[in-house]
Amino acid sequence: MMAKTTLDSGWLAARSTEVHFTGTQLTTTHPPSASTQPWMEAIVPGTVLATLVKNKAVPDPFYGLGNEAILDIADSGREYYTFWFFTTFQCKLSGNQHCDLNFRGINYSADVYLNGHEMVLPKGMFRRHSLDVTNIIHSDSSNLLAVLVHPPDHPGSIPPQGGQGGDHEIGKDVATQYVQGWDWMAPIRDRNTGIWDEVSISITGPVKIIDPHLVSSFFDNYKRVYLHATTELENRSSLIAECSLSIHVTTELEGNIHLVEQLQTQNLSIPARSRVQYTFPELFFYKPNLWWPNGMGKQSLYNVIITIDVKGHGESDSWNHHFGFRKIESHIDVATGGRLFKVNGEPIFIRGGNWILSDGLLRLSKKRYETDIKFHADMNFNMIRCWGGGLAERPEFYRCCDYYGLLVWQEFWITGDVDGRGIPVSNPNGPLDHDLFLFCARDTVKLLRNHPSLALWVGGNEQTPPDDLNVALKNDLKLHPYFGHAEEKEKPVGDLSPRLGDPSQYLDGTRIYIQGSLWDGFADGEGDFSDGPYEIQNPEDFFTDSFYNHGFNPEVGSVGMPVASTIRAIMPSEGWQIPLFNKLPNGYVEEVPNPIWKYHKYIPYSNPTKKVHDQIQLYGDVKDLDDFCLKAQLVNYIQYRALLEGWTSRMWKKYTGVLIWKTQNPWTGLRGQFYDHLLDQTAGFYGCRCAAEPIHVQLNLATYFIEVVNTTSEELSNLAMEVSVWDLEGTCPHYKVHENLTALPKKVTPIVDMKYLKSKNPKPVYFLLLKLYKMSDNTILSRNFYWLHLPGGDYKLLEPYRKKKIPLKITSEVFIEGSTYILQMHVQNTSKKPDSKSLTMVHSSTARQSSGCFVTDSLETVDSGTGKEHEVGWFKGIHKCFAGKSHGLKVSEINGQDTGVAFFLHFSVHASNKDHKEGEDTRILPIHYSDNYFSLVPGETMTIKISFEVPSGVSPCVTLRGWNYQGQTIHEALY
């Protein structure tokens, strides 16, 4: 649009029953102020409850049992959560300009007052509203805007037993369905009432551009590409508009330098007070840079700009979007029965996760989306499923997915628990207003369809929409024939003729529509509840053919306990009690969590009914919260690495993909997550990151064969694989290098039986290090470190191993740009290598490089495990560095006399403010690590890249802890 201003600050809010003025009065004679009761500062975009929490008018529902102290809408009535939102803005219009007031999402309906004029926003959470307020705007003074927001019509109640979607009444509305609670979520008391998405004003000339649609088609093995573009144009003047309409396509070469790829201009006339649809002639591109999913190639994006000039008025409106040239196809694979996806003609093995939304109170932000999606890319995932009980995700979410290469499975607002089943039985016919549902669905398609990351539409979760809605969605989202069949041979350019129609004339036309998450190549494909399981497993079970019987599992879940610092941050001290471990007659253990853990949906690390011993107790008795959470991280790493490696080991033979339930929590839950709501990663994050590498070496825990996975399109030859076993005494009883290996593209290649188990005296607990590297230059392609016990055994011998003092050497360098820090931490295990082996053990973890120059600043070290006397020298060194700005590499030593593996090392970043209160959470979050929860064998070095932003006035320090390093090493970073 020609000019857009986002209204995201300066809002006030008040409960409607406490405001004694009308909307007309609020926007004319009696505007409120922040100092006037009952008005308070509001979060917009956001919800009523988010605003109440911000103002401490209610307890934090994410802390402890605070949610139980908040009045539920079922008990208060809808008026209690009916709120006024008020703001002011400036808007100067010239004589031929028009102004629109835009709401991208309101839940559930609203009465809008602007400068005394009333407008009504109809119902529906997932619809955009654009109001022409040209004749209402005050160009020469402040504009007063008041919005009275009404909750959903059917907020429902919460049965004592809780359950999936409460009493399911919310399913009668076109709104988020998780808000009545789920087995991973407490109820949201206001049911997300509020102005929950972007509010803006936009200024255009007499002609407005509406919802352009971009589609690309490919020929000659993706060398020739055509861009099709269609847009609606609205002439709001009383005269015929003589227009010049242009489309401009550029690509960024470097920095802010752009190359113009295509420029096309067309002249047209638009009748007065009318809307027309215009299709550009095809734009031709030869060998463009393609957009690829994460792990398959670069995410090349082109900037498409559409501009309309009106004779006598100049530029009237403009629109721009980052667009990726790519083709996504899929079909049901004959060999596996699973849906097999192809991108740009290449099959892609799907490894991803289920997504609810980033925050249960809809405190959505571009910054948080950036962190969320980068985390998923860092785990080497290539797909995110937006679950039907949550959101139709926002453009900011999709822009991040475009940039980081995450394919998106987007569901509409149907869930099996709320539509047709459950206790009490829910409404079997879905939402009451089917026309409203379809309106919201069609508007959502228009909002999102130009994003290359969007891969498919799905009717609902574990349920299909009612028949009439399903038929309508199938018709609306039917494929253009060019995109219809993945197995068809390339069509000649003549196939995109008027006979078939322009693909951009379709509502979408490029993506499949699947009626439900358990149909047509997902789970059993027929709608039976064949996803899951959702609890702790024996790691080796993931590798057995009997574990899961269908080709593509859209939901399989497990544990997700965060670190101890998070538990202390989200719960009072009574929530720091670890579970009771009750031994049952069958010899298995039942965990009994404390009431606060239970309320936060804790899922145990044992499963007596499935004969899974408590995986935390495999490491011995648990002493306290810190011990429990550290051992939980060991389990998290093993559990999720095994899950993904087990699926990958049968790539194309049994499976086409898997999506883990779930990647994150929209609140402070204690299950199914790779990072917590505070944005600190669990060790499961790094287990996934390891297992989902595009090129990966792994141990099959069922067969004990070592396998090489190549999910790329290139054959890899002249490879070598190093296999080394390390015991708890620091010796290497087994070492073998396998040379001249080949890894075929898109294949899993078994290499060799891991014979150590069959040796004369295998140790009951041991470490296994696998490395895959190029023989030509010793470049490491994959590194994988296991801790293992003999069949039927446990890890209890690791408990005394914690007393080992392994020497470490840390070489550090720092890059600082504004508030952004990037650290390179080179960590070496300096304990003596076995004399009989001459091993080169160097590994560098890589990550996306930020622009800028590197400055190497000194970092000082404290070894708290060896005494306080070091701290004096450390602080002196820091002050010296501040004064002199030293630029050399800093080498730090951690003392230790033992030889062996430095096990389960992990970094964290904290504020070094010495005035913080005891027990205060000093972590700086989020942090992006190239790797974490890593282990080093004697002589081995790893480089860990750490990047983060520092709040104003905070000095950061970096802490290193480990299983057998009880102290901490602190690196003080410089300004």
Side-chain angles (χ1 to χ4, degrees):
M1 54 196 64
M2 187 173 170
K4 171 183 166 182
T5 302
T6 302
L7 306 181
D8 58 1
S9 61
W11 286 85
L12 302 175
R15 183 169 284 112
S16 63
T17 54
E18 298 174 4
V19 175
H20 304 300
F21 298 107
T22 66
T24 300
Q25 291 172 317
L26 291 174
T27 57
T28 53
T29 57
H30 292 80
S33 67
S35 60
T36 305
Q37 290 292 331
W39 295 89
M40 64 189 86
E41 292 184 10
I43 296 179
V44 175
T47 64
V48 169
L49 190 53
T51 288
L52 293 173
V53 171
K54 171 185 171 65
N55 288 276
K56 297 183 169 29
V58 297
D60 183 349
F62 290 8
Y63 183 82
L65 299 178
N67 196 52
E68 288 296 278
I70 301 175
L71 193 58
D72 192 82
I73 194 171
D75 302 314
S76 68
R78 292 174 67 249
E79 281 193 348
Y80 186 79
Y81 287 109
T82 300
F83 263 62
W84 281 105
F85 292 85
F86 176 87
T87 193
T88 63
F89 62 89
Q90 303 288 327
C91 180
K92 194 166 187 65
L93 294 179
S94 63
N96 60 9
Q97 289 182 324
H98 291 254
C99 180
D100 290 310
L101 174 61
N102 309 297
F103 296 89
R104 211 170 63 184
I106 280 192
N107 190 27
Y108 190 59
S109 62
D111 305 312
V112 176
Y113 295 84
L114 178 61
N115 299 333
H117 296 262
E118 180 183 8
M119 296 159 281
V120 176
L121 299 186
K123 298 174 182 179
M125 183 172 179
F126 300 105
R127 66 186 301 169
R128 294 171 293 171
H129 308 273
S130 186
L131 306 173
D132 187 345
V133 294
T134 305
N135 297 325
I136 304 174
I137 287 292
H138 295 160
S139 284
D140 53 356
S141 62
S142 185
N143 293 277
L144 309 182
L145 173 63
V147 185
L148 182 63
V149 181
H150 304 278
D153 291 346
H154 302 88
S157 60
I158 313 301
Q161 72 274 19
Q164 313 294 76
D167 67 357
H168 315 125
E169 283 291 294
I170 196 70
K172 294 178 179 178
D173 295 330
V174 183
T176 49
Q177 299 185 0
Y178 76 90
V179 290
Q180 282 194 257
W182 226 265
D183 57 5
W184 43 264
M185 183 76 180
I188 303 297
R189 299 306 188 189
D190 70 343
R191 308 295 190 264
N192 284 157
T193 301
I195 307 173
W196 69 276
D197 200 4
E198 180 185 271
V199 184
S200 66
I201 54 170
S202 54
I203 300 173
T204 68
V207 177
K208 178 181 177 181
I209 296 171
I210 302 172
D211 291 331
H213 186 197
L214 308 176
V215 178
S216 53
S217 55
F218 300 83
F219 306 96
D220 295 340
N221 197 26
Y222 297 89
K223 293 178 182 176
R224 287 192 297 140
V225 182
Y226 293 86
L227 177 64
H228 314 267
T230 293
T231 185
E232 273 194 273
L233 302 167
E234 182 184 10
N235 181 2
R236 296 194 279 190
S237 73
S238 57
L239 301 173
I240 295 174
E242 299 296 335
C243 303
S244 173
L245 183 65
S246 300
I247 186 168
H248 188 199
V249 184
T250 65
T251 183
E252 186 172 306
L253 294 179
E254 185 177 350
N256 291 321
I257 301 174
H258 290 78
L259 175 67
V260 177
E261 293 278 354
Q262 280 284 358
L263 175 61
Q264 187 183 106
T265 301
Q266 303 291 321
N267 296 320
L268 67 155
S269 298
I270 306 175
R273 308 288 185 191
S274 66
R275 278 195 183 195
V276 299
Q277 184 169 291
Y278 180 81
T279 299
F280 286 93
E282 293 174 347
L283 279 74
F284 172 72
F285 299 81
Y286 183 67
K287 291 185 177 179
N289 297 319
L290 302 182
W291 183 93
W292 293 95
N294 189 33
M296 292 184 74
K298 293 182 178 180
Q299 290 75 53
S300 300
L301 294 170
Y302 290 76
N303 193 28
V304 180
I305 305 169
I306 297 175
T307 304
I308 189 159
D309 291 87
V310 177
K311 187 175 181 180
H313 298 284
E315 183 177 308
S316 181
D317 199 5
S318 65
W319 176 92
N320 73 285
H321 199 285
H322 283 92
F323 182 75
F325 291 115
R326 63 98 184 97
K327 185 178 182 180
I328 298 177
E329 305 162 281
S330 70
H331 65 279
I332 297 177
D333 179 48
V334 175
T336 64
R339 184 160 290 274
L340 191 154
F341 286 86
K342 289 185 176 182
V343 179
N344 303 330
E346 295 286 344
I348 174 172
F349 188 69
I350 298 297
R351 292 176 292 191
N354 284 268
W355 167 270
I356 312 301
L357 68 166
S358 64
D359 180 73
L361 302 188
L362 301 187
R363 294 168 293 195
L364 311 178
S365 71
K366 294 178 183 178
K367 188 173 182 179
R368 177 143 189 148
Y369 275 136
E370 166 74 18
T371 299
D372 280 317
I373 305 309
K374 187 178 188 307
F375 276 176
H376 285 74
D378 286 347
M379 285 188 282
N380 291 310
F381 284 173
N382 53 32
M383 180 176 277
I384 297 178
R385 173 192 173 213
C386 293
W387 175 75
L391 293 181
E393 265 301 352
R394 303 297 85 198
E396 291 77 13
F397 170 93
Y398 275 91
R399 286 177 197 134
C400 293
C401 291
D402 294 344
Y403 180 78
Y404 286 108
L406 275 298
L407 297 170
V408 183
W409 158 335
Q410 179 66 64
E411 291 183 359
F412 295 107
W413 317 285
I414 299 290
T415 63
D417 302 275
V418 176
D419 300 291
R421 71 175 199 263
I423 302 174
V425 175
S426 54
N427 176 33
N429 201 32
L432 296 181
D433 190 336
H434 286 200
D435 288 339
L436 172 60
F437 183 95
L438 288 173
F439 183 94
C440 290
R442 290 161 182 157
D443 198 52
T444 296
V445 172
K446 292 177 182 178
L447 178 67
L448 303 176
R449 63 190 176 186
N450 294 313
H451 289 280
S453 56
L454 178 57
L456 72 157
W457 303 101
V458 178
N461 166 60
E462 297 180 343
Q463 185 83 341
T464 64
D467 290 345
D468 61 323
L469 295 182
N470 199 33
V471 169
L473 289 171
K474 285 181 180 179
N475 184 62
D476 286 343
L477 296 171
K478 63 179 180 292
L479 287 172
H480 183 279
Y482 171 80
F483 297 91
H485 304 286
E487 296 298 274
E488 283 188 8
K489 294 181 179 179
E490 255 188 305
K491 306 171 183 65
V493 69
D495 268 19
L496 282 178
S497 63
R499 177 173 58 85
L500 291 180
D502 179 352
S504 62
Q505 296 282 345
Y506 285 58
L507 183 63
D508 184 332
T510 68
R511 300 172 180 90
I512 59 167
Y513 168 75
I514 303 294
Q515 59 185 336
S517 65
L518 303 176
W519 277 260
D520 302 326
F522 300 122
D524 76 342
E526 298 177 356
D528 292 329
F529 295 100
S530 47
D531 44 2
Y534 302 93
E535 60 270 320
I536 192 78
Q537 306 291 328
N538 294 308
E540 61 272 16
D541 290 348
F542 291 115
F543 293 83
T544 61
D545 282 334
S546 60
F547 182 75
Y548 188 72
N549 295 322
H550 309 293
F552 193 123
N553 193 342
E555 293 185 16
V556 57
S558 190
V559 292
M561 190 66 185
V563 298
S565 294
T566 292
I567 294 297
R568 293 191 175 97
I570 66 174
M571 295 178 185
S573 56
E574 54 266 34
W576 304 352
Q577 301 301 311
I578 64 175
L580 299 175
F581 296 93
N582 292 340
K583 193 164 186 178
L584 302 179
N586 63 0
Y588 292 88
V589 166
E590 176 188 40
E591 288 185 17
V592 182
N594 70 61
I596 300 181
W597 284 26
K598 187 174 181 180
Y599 189 80
H600 284 253
K601 313 295 185 178
Y602 173 76
I603 185 171
Y605 282 69
S606 64
N607 190 346
T609 61
K610 298 291 181 66
K611 297 185 177 180
V612 179
H613 283 292
D614 193 287
Q615 299 294 292
I616 287 177
Q617 285 197 322
L618 289 181
Y619 295 88
D621 293 336
V622 183
K623 301 179 183 65
D624 52 26
L625 179 65
D626 292 283
D627 193 35
F628 183 93
C629 290
L630 178 58
K631 288 173 178 173
Q633 300 317 309
L634 290 163
V635 180
N636 291 344
Y637 194 106
I638 289 178
Q639 184 77 179
Y640 286 109
R641 177 177 59 181
L643 189 159
L644 284 182
E645 287 184 341
W647 245 270
T648 305
S649 68
R650 272 80 52 83
M651 179 174 67
W652 314 132
K653 294 179 180 178
K654 185 174 176 62
Y655 301 128
T656 59
V658 61
L659 301 175
I660 298 175
W661 182 266
K662 50 192 175 24
T663 56
Q664 43 70 249
N665 267 304
W667 81 308
T668 48
L670 302 180
R671 63 164 63 196
Q673 60 186 354
F674 298 125
Y675 57 95
D676 59 46
H677 193 258
L678 305 182
L679 298 176
D680 200 355
Q681 300 102 327
T682 72
F685 183 105
Y686 298 97
C688 284
R689 179 184 177 86
C690 172
E693 293 176 306
I695 301 165
H696 182 62
V697 59
Q698 65 183 38
L699 176 67
N700 187 310
L701 295 180
T703 66
Y704 271 76
F705 250 76
I706 299 172
E707 304 166 337
V708 172
V709 177
N710 180 8
T711 63
T712 75
S713 301
E714 295 183 12
E715 178 177 322
L716 304 173
S717 58
N718 198 30
L719 304 179
M721 183 180 69
E722 180 184 272
V723 181
S724 59
V725 171
W726 300 82
D727 60 25
L728 300 185
E729 287 72 46
T731 65
C732 182
H734 177 84
Y735 178 82
K736 182 72 174 177
V737 176
H738 304 269
E739 297 183 331
N740 300 313
L741 305 177
T742 298
L744 296 175
K746 311 287 184 182
K747 296 288 184 183
V748 178
T749 306
I751 302 297
V752 66
D753 189 359
M754 213 287 281
K755 297 180 179 179
Y756 177 69
L757 278 179
K758 301 173 184 177
S759 62
K760 188 174 181 180
N761 292 303
K763 300 297 176 69
V765 175
Y766 59 95
F767 304 111
L768 171 66
L769 178 61
L770 305 177
K771 290 185 180 179
L772 184 72
Y773 58 92
K774 294 180 181 178
M775 295 180 64
S776 58
D777 59 6
N778 290 327
T779 300
I780 293 177
L781 301 174
S782 177
R783 175 191 182 275
N784 202 348
F785 181 89
Y786 295 83
W787 53 103
L788 300 162
H789 58 70
L790 295 182
D794 56 42
Y795 293 113
K796 290 178 181 177
L797 287 177
L798 284 176
E799 185 62 35
Y801 194 69
R802 297 172 88 160
K803 298 178 181 178
K804 288 268 190 178
K805 294 189 180 299
I806 307 299
L808 297 175
K809 178 180 178 181
I810 303 170
T811 307
S812 317
E813 55 184 327
V814 182
F815 160 68
I816 308 171
E817 183 177 347
S819 62
T820 299
Y821 282 65
I822 299 176
L823 283 68
Q824 299 275 4
M825 311 296 288
H826 311 276
V827 187
Q828 182 182 11
N829 179 343
T830 57
S831 66
K832 187 178 179 182
K833 293 183 290 187
D835 294 336
S836 59
K837 306 293 187 293
S838 179
L839 311 178
T840 302
M841 298 195 175
V842 180
H843 173 66
S844 293
S845 296
T846 57
R848 290 179 182 269
Q849 297 295 319
S850 298
S851 61
C853 300
F854 272 89
V855 180
T856 55
D857 288 308
S858 296
L859 295 177
E860 297 288 342
T861 302
V862 177
D863 181 3
S864 299
T866 59
K868 289 287 184 181
E869 63 272 17
H870 294 275
E871 293 193 22
V872 176
W874 168 62
F875 281 116
K876 284 183 178 178
I878 285 300
H879 293 309
K880 181 180 178 181
C881 289
F882 272 122
K885 202 68 173 175
S886 171
H887 293 299
L889 291 176
K890 182 65 184 181
V891 178
S892 307
E893 302 280 351
I894 296 174
N895 296 327
Q897 302 302 317
D898 293 321
T899 295
V901 172
F903 183 50
F904 217 54
L905 300 171
H906 46 284
F907 285 108
S908 58
V909 182
H910 299 258
S912 61
N913 180 7
K914 294 179 284 294
D915 298 327
H916 68 263
K917 302 173 184 176
E918 184 178 355
E920 180 182 345
D921 187 6
T922 61
R923 289 173 297 171
I924 295 173
L925 296 170
I927 309 292
H928 297 280
Y929 302 94
S930 61
D931 205 352
N932 216 355
Y933 294 96
F934 59 98
S935 301
L936 299 174
V937 302
E940 190 178 22
T941 299
M942 286 184 70
T943 298
I944 307 297
K945 180 179 175 181
I946 307 174
S947 60
F948 53 93
E949 288 190 18
V950 176
S952 177
V954 171
S955 180
C957 60
V958 180
T959 299
L960 178 66
R961 292 185 175 90
W963 180 261
N964 48 358
Y965 179 53
Q966 305 306 314
Q968 62 183 18
T969 302
I970 302 175
H971 298 270
E972 187 78 20
L974 307 180
Y975 286 104

